Amino acid sequence: DSRRKSPRRRNRLFSVIPGSFSICNLGKNAAFPDLSGLPAADFLSCTRTQDELSLVISDAGAEMLAQRHPGLAAHRGMACIKLEESNILPVAGVLSSISTVRAAAKIPLFTVSTYESCYVLMDASLLQCALDKLEKAGNRIALPCGPHFKRT
């Protein structure tokens, strides 16, 4: 039989990265910014393409960066969750499984993949809904400690 059995869905573990983040665009011809003096961050991503230079950085870092680059375009107030699996490159369907949950809840996402993991950013006001949908789909959620992360 040439039909393949669909792989059994794994329960994945997601964690919430503390803080509030901004997705920034410095423009097509921008020089790579000096990041010295910016707040220490648990998450910083820089991507250059032929069309733009984009950064994902803490909201506080985006504020400081905007002072240095007045034309900075930024979408602030993003929450970030991380897929807690190391080396996701061989894991098929990771973004597809997240996107399916996202589509059902109509939650816009911005993803950043690294060699070791996958990060998903969304408007912070939609975080609770996204976590609920991920759990309902059989995933597990690890929350940082603190009053900001109490589940309802």
Side-chain angles (χ1 to χ4, degrees), residues 26 30 41 51 65 75 77 84 103 122-123 127 141 144 149:
L26 288 165
D51 300 319
L65 202 56
H75 183 88
E84 292 291 344
M122 70 211 67
D123 191 276
L127 177 63
I141 308 295
F149 294 99

Side-chain angles (χ1 to χ4, degrees), residues 24-36 38 46-55 65 68-72:
C24 305
N25 184 333
L26 288 165
K28 181 176 184 172
N29 298 316
F32 193 82
D34 177 10
L35 300 176
S36 64
L38 295 180
C46 300
T47 304
R48 174 172 297 286
T49 69
Q50 64 185 10
D51 300 319
E52 66 182 306
L53 174 59
S54 293
L55 287 90
L65 202 56
R68 298 176 188 174
H69 301 272
L72 178 79

